[in-house]
Amino acid sequence: MLSRRTFSTLAFGLIVLCSSLFLSGCSDKPYLTQDGSYVILTVSPSGMTQSELVQLPWNANMAVMQKLLVESSFVLSDLHTPTPQELAQSDQPTTTVSLQANYPQPKRMSFVVDGHALALDVQSLQIEVEGSNVGQVTINRTMVLQGINDPNLQPAFEELDNMLHNSN
């Protein structure tokens, strides 16, 4: 049996390793895609889509964005094929908000899906941060998987959203 300290060390190492999946490709901007391209994608129950490019103000607290990206990487650390119940939740007419990362050139990434390693060339990656299926991951707009249920994902997104829109 693992001690609490060993488990914590392993968990931290896993988070750092998984962070590199979602956050690597960086040049001089740590924790950002190569061009810093993130989009907040909102889809209404009627299917109307609104996208907002994440543009951090010059005086932004970068730790807020980094926290959201770390939580997102945790969601990506272990993916599984959605169950029929999870798919049914996705079909409910609710507004969903996702964080989307776009890569100008396909980027080779490795994921654990249903307990097996899977290498994919990724051009876009979406993680649902608000809606009926928080943690749902869409790779290249076609492959839909469910990530780890992370209770810190939605609060991290709300903190970024508040910072972007100067809300308290």
Side-chain angles (χ1 to χ4, degrees), residues 30-146:
Y31 295 102
L32 297 177
T33 60
Q34 188 172 8
D35 62 355
S37 174
Y38 290 99
V39 173
I40 297 171
L41 188 63
T42 305
V43 180
S44 73
S46 66
M48 286 188 55
T49 303
Q50 175 185 350
S51 62
E52 175 186 0
L53 183 62
V54 174
Q55 295 180 326
L56 298 175
W58 68 270
N59 61 345
N61 180 352
M62 289 300 293
V64 172
M65 184 69 179
Q66 291 170 354
K67 179 179 176 183
L68 175 60
L69 296 176
V70 167
E71 297 303 334
S72 297
S73 67
F74 181 68
V75 169
L76 293 171
S77 65
D78 191 14
L79 302 171
H80 67 268
T81 304
T83 64
Q85 294 82 7
E86 290 169 333
L87 289 173
Q89 286 178 334
S90 297
D91 294 335
Q92 293 175 358
T94 60
T95 298
T96 62
V97 179
S98 299
L99 178 66
Q100 179 173 315
N102 298 301
Y103 303 96
Q105 298 296 319
K107 181 175 182 159
R108 177 62 66 152
M109 294 185 180
S110 296
F111 300 95
V112 175
V113 179
D114 296 330
H116 303 287
L118 179 64
L120 298 169
D121 290 326
V122 177
Q123 284 201 273
S124 71
L125 187 65
Q126 289 177 306
I127 298 174
E128 186 172 314
V129 294
E130 288 183 358
S132 60
N133 216 353
V134 172
Q136 181 172 289
V137 176
T138 305
I139 301 171
N140 294 337
R141 296 181 177 88
T142 58
M143 181 182 279
V144 178
L145 300 166
Q146 184 61 43

